[in-house]
Amino acid sequence: MSAPRILWVDDEIDLLRSHVMFLENKDYEVQTTSNGADAVDYVREDLFDVVLLDEQMPGMDGLETLEAIKEVRPELPVVLVTKSEEEDLMERALGNQISDYLTKPVNPSQILLTCKRLLERTQLRQETLSQDYLESFNEISQALREPLTHADWTALYRKLVHYDLELTEDEGARQIFQDQFKEANREFGNFIESNYADWIDATDAPPDPNRPPLSHEVISEFVLPELGDDPVVFFVIDCLRYDQWRTFEELLHPHFSIETDFYYSLLPTATPYSRNAIFSGLLPVELVDRFPGAWETDEEDEHSRNQHEEPFLHDQLDRHHYGDLSIRYDKLITGKEGQEFAQQATNLTQHDLSAVVVNFVDILAHSRSDSDVLKELAPDEEAYRALTRTWFEHSWLLDSLRTLADTDCTVVLTTDHGAIRSLRSSKVIGDRETSTALRYKYGRNLKCDEEDAIFVRNPKEFGLPRYGMNTNYIFAKEDFYFVYPTNFHHYENLYRDTLQHGGASMQEMILPIATLTPR
């Protein structure tokens, strides 16, 4: 590895020769200059890891030089060395993005520690994280061998997402982590298979700590209790996972106090089931009975099966005796719709409850499956998260939330399901009437490897409608996706490494629901 390179800018640099030699003896390469103009030229023509910049220099002073350096290399760390600690100076320097400042006179050890902190903090942090994870590895492995509750699984998933977000540089530790994540998802699928029917059976009873809140209970448990003097704005972001929410949360913390809870998506973890359940407050089998004909069984166009969310919401509020509320509902699919919405975001506070469905993240997930360009931009989980964050950071949605942060309201934000990179195929046999989704299917006499899927032979036990006497469902576990035997290898390759939902994985089922209160 090459020596870290420091550019030291000071009009009395000759008096600092002993300091420079000290750094060079510590294996730093130090380039010196006595004026700001030359410093900007050096930065433009060469690569440095950090700049030590004197604040008081004739000609271009330190702040002017800092501004010029940031125009050339905005990411380059700059340490301002100053005789003054005036508040105004520090505010202007911080506004120009200095990484640190030192007050003269400085000694060589101060300089060394500052450079070491700036240049090595990423490496040191990764080493600490890697060690922390490796110490947690046995703890997680032991937990996976024990009976876990739904709350235990949520805590474990949160821990895994933490390491997924932070453990980015140590390839060895990350490979161990990814293998353990796969193992955890395998056990999670078995957990869902063993417990889900009991959860559905218990939904008519009073709240049971032995089961998590489910999709059809989101509004009653998390939204209605917030109704009071201030209006409530309820956002449902289609196909948003917890790891993506964590990156959104960072951008919202300056504007809101945030409390994040969790619920579990119903199966299948797909929009027609999970989001209809959120707005109706009903299990899919109950929804079909209460609104015959409102839910089309043709799933070629997924969005056509979510055309009745607004009347479903009104019906649910009526059942909970909130029928006299002023209600607003928006579903935003295109960027133009979102921008128009953001310009009028304050209008949401004119209603007791506003419900807003945001489809972009789901569109992004499906587009990645169909676009070689997006696959190149987001080849793995880390890059997909970064792509989603970049959208949010510059989106009409963030603009809308910032606007709401300046009002007296409560924001409840959640998702209907997550998604998983589907990397392994599972051969499935069914007739022509079998549904077309890749992570779940329903039809007559479906067959596939029972290790790869949850088989539902009695749909009512899972709260699901039956479309014929012999209807059964299968839900993919782990990262499997279903492929028919006909042209198997063609479709196996076509759908491998696409983002899908509908099955039983932590990413699809364990979902954040955040309550945001303006600061």
Side-chain angles (χ1 to χ4, degrees):
M1 181 181 296
S2 60
R5 304 194 68 218
I6 298 172
L7 174 62
W8 198 333
V9 190
D10 194 305
D11 63 314
E12 297 179 336
I13 194 67
D14 291 338
L15 301 179
L16 299 169
R17 180 53 50 191
S18 61
H19 293 49
V20 171
M21 292 176 63
F22 177 83
L23 290 172
E24 289 175 338
N25 289 334
K26 296 295 183 179
D27 296 324
Y28 287 85
E29 182 181 330
V30 184
Q31 173 70 54
T32 63
T33 183
S34 60
N35 65 83
D38 286 348
V40 176
D41 289 339
Y42 278 127
V43 168
R44 183 179 288 112
E45 296 169 4
D46 211 341
L47 292 177
F48 295 93
D49 297 295
V50 65
V51 176
L52 301 174
L53 178 60
D54 184 21
E55 182 259 322
Q56 293 183 349
M57 295 186 296
M60 286 182 71
D61 67 17
L63 293 183
E64 292 172 330
T65 305
L66 171 63
E67 185 176 351
I69 287 173
K70 286 296 180 178
E71 287 181 3
V72 178
R73 288 274 309 278
E75 80 288 355
L76 180 60
V78 177
V79 177
L80 194 67
V81 184
T82 176
K83 294 179 180 178
S84 171
E85 294 187 43
E86 294 179 7
E87 184 177 351
D88 178 63
L89 171 65
M90 289 302 100
E91 287 179 354
R92 284 188 289 141
L94 290 168
N96 283 303
Q97 299 176 322
I98 63 167
S99 299
D100 205 345
Y101 73 93
L102 296 172
T103 304
K104 288 185 175 183
V106 294
N107 63 56
S109 295
Q110 279 181 293
I111 296 290
L112 176 64
L113 289 173
T114 299
C115 292
K116 184 178 287 290
R117 181 178 60 79
L118 290 175
L119 298 176
E120 299 179 14
R121 62 183 173 185
T122 299
Q123 178 184 348
L124 293 172
R125 184 167 183 269
Q126 283 296 314
E127 288 175 356
T128 301
L129 278 168
S130 297
Q131 184 61 36
D132 181 48
Y133 169 66
L134 293 175
E135 291 174 359
S136 297
F137 175 86
N138 289 335
E139 177 186 331
I140 295 171
S141 296
Q142 180 62 36
L144 293 175
R145 291 191 287 270
E146 302 290 339
L148 298 177
T149 66
H150 70 87
D152 294 333
W153 274 109
T154 298
L156 179 60
Y157 179 49
R158 294 181 71 177
K159 179 180 289 189
L160 290 169
V161 166
H162 167 73
Y163 286 122
D164 194 19
L165 291 169
E166 301 293 341
L167 200 64
T168 57
E169 301 298 327
D170 187 333
E171 292 184 8
R174 185 155 185 84
Q175 184 59 58
I176 294 170
F177 164 77
Q178 288 171 339
D179 291 342
Q180 189 170 55
F181 204 138
K182 289 179 182 178
E183 179 189 1
N185 249 337
R186 181 165 57 252
E187 295 303 324
F188 180 77
N190 295 333
F191 168 74
I192 295 298
E193 186 170 28
S194 299
N195 291 276
Y196 188 84
D198 291 336
W199 296 349
I200 296 299
D201 187 52
T203 55
D204 290 335
D208 183 351
N210 294 318
R211 70 169 182 84
L214 300 172
S215 301
H216 66 300
E217 297 163 324
V218 163
I219 287 179
S220 61
E221 293 210 14
F222 297 101
V223 179
L224 297 185
E226 298 298 330
L227 291 170
D229 294 334
D230 293 331
V232 173
V233 184
F234 177 46
F235 284 92
V236 179
I237 304 177
D238 193 358
C239 201
L240 182 74
R241 304 186 314 203
Y242 174 54
D243 61 325
Q244 294 168 308
W245 163 243
R246 283 281 305 275
T247 67
F248 288 15
E249 192 177 18
E250 294 173 0
L251 298 170
L252 292 170
H253 268 303
H255 310 285
F256 294 94
S257 297
I258 302 174
E259 180 180 345
T260 302
D261 294 301
F262 291 85
Y263 80 96
Y264 276 51
S265 172
L266 291 172
L267 290 172
T269 49
T271 304
Y273 297 86
S274 55
R275 201 163 78 208
N276 276 331
I278 289 173
F279 283 102
S280 68
L282 300 170
L283 295 168
V285 66
E286 297 169 335
L287 180 63
V288 170
D289 287 342
R290 188 171 180 86
F291 297 95
W295 188 18
E296 299 295 331
T297 59
D298 179 8
E299 61 172 25
E300 289 299 324
D301 180 4
E302 182 179 272
H303 298 294
S304 71
R305 307 180 77 192
N306 288 84
Q307 294 179 342
H308 305 284
E309 291 163 349
E310 186 173 6
F312 290 166
L313 174 61
H314 281 280
D315 181 72
Q316 178 177 186
L317 293 173
D318 285 342
R319 297 198 314 272
H320 288 286
H321 309 293
Y322 284 91
D324 58 345
L325 293 181
S326 170
I327 306 297
R328 171 174 170 162
Y329 169 86
D330 293 273
K331 182 185 292 187
L332 305 169
I333 298 175
T334 68
K336 182 179 179 181
E337 291 172 344
Q339 290 161 8
E340 292 173 351
F341 172 86
Q343 291 171 2
Q344 304 176 29
T346 53
N347 292 346
L348 297 173
T349 61
Q350 303 304 310
H351 302 271
D352 299 312
L353 174 62
S354 298
V356 185
V357 174
V358 180
N359 274 111
F360 180 80
V361 178
D362 184 62
I363 293 170
L364 180 62
H366 287 295
S367 298
R368 181 190 176 277
S369 301
D370 300 330
S371 168
D372 291 338
V373 173
L374 283 180
K375 277 190 178 178
E376 183 74 19
L377 286 172
D380 53 28
E381 300 284 13
E382 185 180 356
Y384 177 59
R385 268 195 306 272
L387 184 62
T388 315
R389 178 195 165 104
T390 297
W391 165 75
F392 181 67
E393 189 171 8
H394 303 280
S395 72
W396 58 263
L397 177 56
L398 181 56
D399 289 342
S400 301
L401 290 165
R402 285 171 173 160
T403 298
L404 291 172
D406 292 328
T407 69
D408 293 324
C409 74
T410 300
V411 175
V412 180
L413 187 151
T414 191
T415 179
D416 49 359
H417 58 75
I420 189 170
R421 283 177 73 202
S422 298
L423 299 173
R424 290 181 288 175
S425 62
S426 181
K427 191 174 293 185
V428 63
I429 297 174
D431 62 23
R432 292 182 178 179
E433 302 302 317
T434 300
S435 61
T436 58
L438 292 173
R439 288 275 294 167
Y440 75 96
K441 291 189 180 295
Y442 59 83
R444 292 179 297 181
N445 303 315
L446 297 174
K447 297 179 182 178
C448 76
D449 189 331
E450 299 210 9
E451 292 294 316
D452 303 344
I454 297 173
F455 275 74
V456 180
R457 294 174 174 85
N458 182 358
K460 187 175 181 181
E461 291 183 351
F462 272 55
L464 294 167
R466 185 190 295 273
Y467 300 113
M469 288 297 295
N470 298 316
T471 299
N472 60 347
Y473 289 75
I474 54 174
F475 305 115
K477 298 179 183 177
E478 303 176 56
D479 57 1
F480 287 102
Y481 60 100
F482 297 126
V483 182
Y484 292 117
T486 305
N487 293 328
F488 177 83
H489 293 296
H490 168 73
Y491 289 105
E492 178 186 43
N493 292 327
L494 181 64
Y495 295 120
R496 180 182 288 121
D497 194 15
T498 60
L499 286 161
Q500 301 294 338
H501 50 81
S505 68
M506 290 182 287
Q507 294 97 315
E508 293 163 288
M509 290 192 73
I510 304 179
L511 304 175
I513 181 159
T515 303
L516 286 63
T517 306
R519 290 190 182 278

